[in-house]
Amino acid sequence: SLFVNSSFSNNPCIRDLQEIMSYPFKDIGKRINDFLSAKEYNLNRTAKINVSSDKVRWSLENKLNKNNDIESELEVSHAFDRDSLSLKTSTIKPPKFEVQSDRLKPRVGVKVSIQDPKLEIKLSQKRDSYYLNVDSTYDWSNQNCDGTLSFAYSGVDKLVLGTKVKVERSQKQQTLGVTDYNVGVQFNRNADQTFAVTTENQLTRIQVGAEFKVRDNYRGFAQVSYNTGQEDQNEQNGSGPVGYAVGIQRNISSTSSIRGVFRNDNTASVLYATNFPQSNVCAKVAANVNLTKPYAQRYALQWKLVFGCGGKPCCGGAKK
């Protein structure tokens, strides 16, 4: 998701990506993918409260699921000089305990989390010209394990090149082997134009996207995808191997914006977002349309309220 600002060049999230020499593979094409994704507009009638001090942060989130049941999540985190601890509890998931340490930086960053029945270890190394991530997961309930290696290189002028490989050993696959691999390329031509090519599912799905300034206070997004895998095509409700999505955002003011997206699967979304800086509150309202559903189920109105944001814009920001 994106911050609400009068200019995308003033957007903290976007400005960081422009100024930082390197960033992880997962961020290649992410702004385009997030803007056009239907998931970005499923706000689930959410209310979130953030309370923080210099070292401690509390976050409580309540939302309605598809069955109109309330799901709650509480997260508490404490930051030390070189470490941080967090505990996340939920009404639908087991508690998750996470430790993040900067003791080995700048050589490597370490993050370890435990959530029954899984142990996850994440290692990262960041340099001016590249970003390396190694993630591993072990499931002690069935002895399944997997590892993911991703690498993004930004040593070429205005280009970011990346690749990602996943290996896995499970009950279905007794020997450790490669189960997924993908590549990504992003061309940051300037602050007003970005192009990205990414793949999914062992290169069977290719996405070509663009983000560009249309005029003052207007930003355009477009993406075309091509699927060679039959399973992927079936998941697209018979829409065929070629898919597309287009969208536009208008920044109404320095704190408010409106955006609209249309997708080839006959779905569309409109979202209005605004920040109230003095009260530290953010509000989003989204209208989603699905023309493939019966008339009574085609339209859905959803919203999200965030109270308190710890000094950062709360209506957006892609998670790192």
Side-chain angles (χ1 to χ4, degrees):
S1 56
L2 301 173
F3 290 121
V4 181
N5 281 282
S6 60
S7 171
F8 267 63
S9 60
N10 292 329
N11 184 311
C13 178
I14 294 176
R15 186 175 63 247
D16 288 345
L17 291 182
Q18 293 168 349
E19 293 174 352
I20 294 176
M21 293 295 292
S22 62
Y23 45 90
F25 173 84
K26 66 180 181 179
D27 284 344
I28 296 179
K30 181 174 176 59
R31 295 201 306 270
I32 300 171
N33 294 336
D34 285 352
F35 188 97
L36 299 173
S37 171
K39 184 179 179 181
E40 187 76 3
Y41 303 86
N42 292 329
L43 305 180
N44 297 321
R45 288 168 284 182
T46 302
K48 186 173 183 179
I49 300 175
N50 296 320
V51 180
S52 62
S53 64
D54 292 338
K55 299 293 183 179
V56 181
R57 178 182 176 91
W58 293 72
S59 177
L60 175 63
E61 181 176 282
N62 291 323
K63 62 183 179 182
L64 293 181
N65 58 24
K66 295 180 180 179
N67 299 322
N68 287 326
D69 296 326
I70 297 178
E71 297 178 3
S72 299
E73 182 178 275
L74 174 65
E75 182 176 6
V76 183
S77 61
H78 191 114
F80 299 91
D81 291 340
R82 292 187 294 175
D83 305 301
S84 64
L85 308 177
S86 69
L87 176 64
K88 183 183 295 185
T89 61
S90 170
T91 55
I92 60 172
K93 297 180 181 179
K96 181 178 181 179
F97 179 71
E98 183 176 277
V99 180
Q100 182 172 344
S101 177
D102 294 335
R103 293 177 180 272
L104 300 179
K105 282 190 174 182
R107 295 186 299 274
V108 63
V110 180
K111 181 184 293 186
V112 180
S113 64
I114 298 177
Q115 185 177 38
D116 189 21
K118 292 184 178 182
L119 168 67
E120 187 174 15
I121 301 176
K122 296 183 177 182
L123 306 176
S124 62
Q125 185 181 64
K126 178 183 175 183
R127 293 292 185 268
D128 290 342
S129 60
Y130 72 85
Y131 207 120
L132 176 67
N133 293 89
V134 180
D135 302 342
S136 60
T137 303
Y138 174 71
D139 189 327
W140 59 76
S141 66
N142 51 24
Q143 285 74 53
N144 291 350
C145 62
D146 63 69
T148 303
L149 172 68
S150 60
F151 180 80
Y153 178 72
S154 56
V156 182
D157 185 35
K158 298 183 180 181
L159 275 178
V160 181
L161 311 174
T163 185
K164 181 178 180 181
V165 179
K166 181 180 181 180
V167 296
E168 184 177 355
R169 189 191 68 186
S170 64
Q171 295 177 347
K172 294 182 179 180
Q173 181 170 309
Q174 297 296 328
T175 59
L176 188 66
V178 176
T179 58
D180 196 12
Y181 48 86
N182 291 289
V183 297
V185 179
Q186 181 165 309
F187 176 46
N188 303 309
R189 183 179 181 186
N190 51 48
D192 295 328
Q193 294 181 346
T194 299
F195 305 91
V197 179
T198 56
T199 67
E200 296 178 358
N201 302 328
Q202 300 182 15
L203 309 179
T204 59
R205 185 168 189 248
I206 303 174
Q207 300 177 125
V208 180
E211 170 193 347
F212 48 90
K213 178 180 178 181
V214 179
R215 51 183 293 186
D216 288 346
N217 297 322
Y218 285 86
R219 196 80 172 178
F221 292 78
Q223 187 178 77
V224 177
S225 62
Y226 181 76
N227 287 327
T228 60
Q230 186 62 40
E231 293 182 359
D232 292 336
Q233 294 181 32
N234 293 336
E235 291 178 358
Q236 290 187 344
N237 301 320
S239 58
V242 179
Y244 67 86
V246 294
I248 191 168
Q249 173 165 316
R250 180 180 184 271
N251 295 310
I252 303 171
S253 67
S254 61
T255 58
S256 301
S257 69
I258 188 170
R259 64 170 75 169
V261 176
F262 179 80
R263 311 173 192 89
N264 73 299
D265 60 355
N266 289 322
T267 63
S269 302
V270 176
L271 182 144
Y272 171 79
T274 186
N275 281 315
F276 301 91
Q278 294 182 347
S279 56
N280 215 19
V281 175
C282 161
K284 290 182 179 181
V285 179
N288 296 309
V289 181
N290 189 338
L291 298 179
T292 63
K293 292 184 176 182
Y295 182 81
Q297 304 175 10
R298 287 183 180 180
Y299 308 97
L301 184 65
Q302 300 186 6
W303 50 264
K304 181 176 183 178
L305 292 173
V306 181
F307 301 89
C309 55
K312 296 181 180 180
C314 56
C315 262
K319 295 182 178 180
K320 302 294 183 186

